Amino acid sequence: MSDIPRKSATPVKAERFDGVFDMVIVGAGAAGLACALFAAWQDNKVLLLEKAADLGGTAKKAAFWYWVPNNRPMRELGIEDSREDCIRYMARLSRPETYSPDLPRFGMTQWEFDMCAAIYDNASPAAELLAEKGALEYRHCPEVTDYWAELPEDKAPKGRVLLPKGACDSMSDGGAVAVRSMSEAARRAGVEIRTNCRVQRLIVDDSGAVTGVEADIAEHGAITFKARKAVIFGTGGFTHNKTMRKNFLSAPVFGGCAARSNEGDFVPIGTAVGAELRNMNYAWMCPIVLEKALNDDPSLVGTFSPSGDSMIYVNRHGKRVTNEKLAYNESAQAFFSWDPATSQYPNLVLAAIWDSRSQRYSASTEYGRFIVPEGVNDAHVIKGDTLAELAQKIRERVAQLAPQIGNLNFGDDFEANLPATVERFNEFAECGKDLDFQRGERPVGAESDHVSAGRQRALLCRAANRRQPRYKGRSGNQSQRTGARSYGHCDCGSVWRRQLRCIGVGTCLLGGRGHAGSHSGVRVSRGALRAQRAAALKPSALPACGLDRKRPLSAQPRNRKRSWHLPSKR
């Protein structure tokens, strides 16, 4: 968030300018930096203005996996990704309500089709130029699966992802690497960069054409810049503008993990000169820690891949509501389910519950994970010696936060339902099939199963040591921002055969919103999280799935095709 206050966005005319450039670019995140580089490489005089004290914006916090169709490494590997097939796939995902595979534009408008075509035609050449110039060298991720690889329209389900070359082995710091390398390249290319410079309004001529910008620079006041060719905005979203969130988004959110400078600056500036806004009611979302969002914690990072196989999300009634291992944007949609009978959002705050095994082997400070290692601030974690004690503490924590979350409280049935929910999850884990939410059945989840299969096999052996665990938990919130799943990190997949045991449990709270939101969770300290068997799973509650409904799930034949049965790599 800038220390320079926002002023009127009404455009003005200027008789003189303090600086003259070919291109003035507002916002120095990934989009602004790339735009400045391409403009400078075409012999333009470029000015890059950033409101914050540092460059990078939200991109600096991201893993920065970038999706490049028909990229050069794909072509060299012989992976076909044709233009028609790729645009059809984009149409299926971006406009499912109008999608038609047989129409020339697949149901998209001309503008939407041209946008998708531009991505296909230019993404790979742009990536190659950035790499060639040393601005953003990359490494190819040939085994990374598209989020929707199972759709028949996705003819190239693997190979489209590139990652900054200098990113660490866990691939979590790609954004910081990309911002650093692109910033250095921009300076080498002669781009003039100014930070702590907030653009307040556009400058127009007598015909209304945009000719420049007026900005406020910290400790210097107003300054004007002329743009001979264009003014380009790459100023991010409006995550940290509460008024815009309420006015534009279709669901309630409690905050977000985008850069603090994301306050929707372009909205008043652009609309003041007639700019058309699109897609204002939607945001790219992921779960985030609720208390961190409520406290405006600038270190907040979205949970892009929740770790822990013996981990579940439950709502205010103590029930699972989603496949916890869905891709982050899809996982976030569970928060906004509306119950018309009670006129409320029953899932607006969720609790993540995990056990000691997930705590021991899946704790991480990367990718916004809420299961954090010992010694790291875990104020969001709720702890209890029994599941009953944990449930009570969750209700108490939510009650403390109620004034900040619309007086939302966990229901009176939470304590009664939670053990049955844990028991049902454990039965699914034993059976090897999630009959409620199909966790572990999508390619994007199976990929991670292979990564962590060896470690998880070891966990089963260690779990035989039945020392007394402690229950732990935490609270969280949903967040509006881009990022990537954590591939290659142990226990990040959707592997079953990992039960939750009610001996030492933990939890935390989470919530929902694109680049802002909340949710919660619980954790068990040791062993697998298995609730006391007070609530037996009734066969009548099972949907038809090819299993014998008269036999308990624990007696069903196990699915021998699951990836967790793969041998460990020594």
Side-chain angles (χ1 to χ4, degrees):
M1 189 173 295
S2 175
D3 293 331
I4 306 172
R6 174 181 287 165
K7 298 179 181 178
S8 169
T10 302
V12 296
K13 297 178 181 179
E15 296 183 358
R16 58 174 298 276
F17 292 91
D18 298 297
V20 179
F21 299 84
D22 294 315
M23 313 278 281
V24 174
I25 299 168
V26 186
L33 283 166
C35 186
L37 286 165
F38 293 133
W41 292 335
Q42 296 182 50
D43 298 323
N44 289 294
K45 184 180 180 182
V46 180
L47 173 65
L48 180 60
L49 302 176
E50 171 56 48
K51 178 175 66 175
D54 301 310
L55 306 181
T58 303
K60 194 173 183 179
K61 303 172 68 176
F64 209 92
W65 298 32
Y66 47 116
W67 192 83
V68 180
N70 196 36
N71 58 62
R72 181 181 59 79
M74 289 180 73
R75 299 193 298 270
E76 292 176 350
L77 291 171
I79 302 174
E80 184 177 357
D81 191 11
S82 73
R83 189 177 193 267
E84 180 179 355
D85 285 342
C86 187
I87 296 176
R88 180 184 291 108
Y89 174 50
M90 286 191 262
R92 167 64 180 81
L93 288 177
S94 61
R95 281 291 176 259
E97 73 279 10
T98 60
Y99 173 68
S100 179
D102 299 324
L103 293 178
R105 296 193 300 270
F106 312 117
M108 294 188 290
T109 66
Q110 187 65 56
W111 185 91
E112 291 166 341
F113 181 88
D114 291 345
M115 175 186 65
C116 292
I119 292 173
Y120 182 90
D121 293 340
N122 296 295
S124 182
E128 292 307 315
L129 183 58
L130 287 166
E132 176 187 329
K133 297 280 190 178
L136 185 59
E137 296 181 275
Y138 64 80
R139 62 181 191 255
H140 186 222
C141 303
E143 295 304 315
V144 171
T145 306
D146 274 4
Y147 291 163
W148 294 101
E150 67 269 31
L151 292 180
E153 288 84 2
D154 191 0
K155 304 301 183 184
K158 291 184 178 181
R160 292 184 176 120
V161 172
L162 305 180
L163 177 76
K165 184 178 180 179
C168 63
D169 290 342
S170 66
M171 310 178 193
S172 63
D173 64 344
V177 172
V179 169
R180 182 171 60 250
S181 64
M182 286 197 291
S183 299
E184 292 171 354
R187 292 186 174 94
R188 292 196 303 268
V191 175
E192 183 173 330
I193 301 174
R194 299 200 184 193
T195 56
N196 294 305
C197 183
R198 182 169 196 157
V199 172
Q200 300 284 10
R201 60 189 63 86
L202 292 168
I203 298 173
V204 297
D205 61 18
D206 291 336
S207 68
V210 174
T211 59
V213 300
E214 181 180 309
D216 283 341
I217 297 180
E219 301 178 359
H220 293 286
I223 189 169
T224 57
F225 299 106
K226 181 179 178 62
R228 287 187 288 250
K229 295 183 178 179
V231 172
I232 300 174
F233 281 80
T235 50
F238 50 86
T239 297
H240 297 291
N241 187 313
K242 293 182 180 179
T243 300
M244 288 187 187
R245 292 205 313 255
K246 291 179 180 179
N247 288 344
F248 295 121
L249 292 179
S250 59
V253 296
F254 299 125
C257 62
R260 298 297 304 166
S261 54
N262 276 33
E263 299 172 297
D265 286 15
F266 176 72
V267 175
I269 295 173
T271 54
V273 293
E276 181 181 353
L277 303 179
R278 289 173 179 254
N279 208 31
M280 295 290 285
N281 64 332
Y282 194 78
W284 192 250
M285 306 186 183
C286 72
I288 58 177
V289 177
L290 177 60
E291 285 121 321
K292 289 186 176 183
L294 295 177
N295 294 333
D296 281 338
D297 186 340
S299 68
L300 176 63
V301 175
T303 301
F304 301 110
S305 61
S307 58
D309 295 317
S310 45
M311 180 278 298
I312 59 175
Y313 295 170
V314 297
N315 68 2
R316 64 189 298 268
H317 300 295
K319 296 184 177 182
R320 284 182 73 207
V321 297
T322 187
N323 172 355
E324 295 85 356
K325 301 294 184 173
L326 286 173
Y328 48 97
N329 181 65
E330 278 60 49
S331 176
Q333 306 313 309
F335 291 91
F336 309 122
S337 175
W338 174 253
D339 183 353
T342 60
S343 188
Q344 64 180 357
Y345 293 97
N347 307 337
L348 193 57
V349 172
L350 299 178
I353 303 175
W354 63 94
D355 63 10
S356 61
R357 178 172 49 200
S358 286
Q359 178 64 40
R360 179 178 299 175
Y361 295 107
S362 301
S364 172
T365 58
E366 297 180 321
Y367 293 100
R369 295 196 171 117
F370 44 78
I371 305 178
V372 296
E374 299 296 331
V376 175
N377 182 0
D378 66 350
H380 60 280
V381 178
I382 306 165
K383 307 174 184 179
D385 289 326
T386 66
L387 192 58
E389 178 186 351
L390 183 65
Q392 180 181 354
K393 288 186 175 182
I394 293 172
R395 279 169 52 83
E396 293 172 353
R397 178 72 65 87
V398 173
Q400 293 172 5
L401 300 173
Q404 297 174 269
I405 55 176
N407 290 308
L408 182 150
N409 282 284
F410 272 29
D412 295 335
D413 55 352
F414 181 75
E415 288 94 335
N417 289 337
L418 184 57
T421 297
V422 171
E423 178 66 13
R424 185 174 178 84
F425 176 87
N426 288 339
E427 295 282 3
F428 290 164
E430 188 70 20
C431 169
K433 191 175 184 66
D434 180 3
L435 301 179
D436 288 340
F437 301 106
Q438 296 74 52
R439 177 165 150 182
E441 296 183 14
R442 302 181 68 238
V444 73
E447 175 182 80
S448 294
D449 292 344
H450 287 276
V451 169
S452 53
R455 170 66 70 84
Q456 289 158 349
R457 179 182 291 275
L459 291 183
L460 285 175
C461 299
R462 294 174 185 270
N465 184 353
R466 299 290 295 279
R467 291 175 295 175
Q468 183 78 4
R470 286 183 54 81
Y471 289 103
K472 294 186 179 180
R474 83 160 182 135
S475 64
N477 187 282
Q478 201 130 353
S479 155
Q480 201 180 44
R481 95 157 260 221
T482 56
R485 293 185 310 285
S486 162
Y487 293 90
H489 182 88
C490 183
D491 290 343
C492 66
S494 306
V495 175
W496 285 96
R497 301 289 305 284
R498 294 295 173 270
Q499 300 174 341
L500 291 169
R501 295 191 187 279
C502 289
I503 310 170
V505 182
T507 186
C508 74
L509 303 176
L510 310 172
R513 137 120 164 78
H515 289 291
S518 77
H519 107 214
S520 66
V522 185
R523 142 193 160 210
V524 186
S525 307
R526 298 185 192 284
L529 169 53
R530 178 177 285 286
Q532 292 131 5
R533 305 183 65 89
L537 185 66
K538 298 180 180 179
S540 60
L542 298 179
C545 67
L547 300 180
D548 185 348
R549 296 170 63 87
K550 296 181 180 180
R551 300 170 64 188
L553 283 176
S554 57
Q556 298 287 350
R558 294 176 180 173
N559 183 347
R560 296 298 179 184
K561 296 182 180 180
R562 308 299 304 173
S563 62
W564 59 81
H565 290 291
L566 294 176
S568 304
K569 291 183 178 180
R570 301 298 181 186

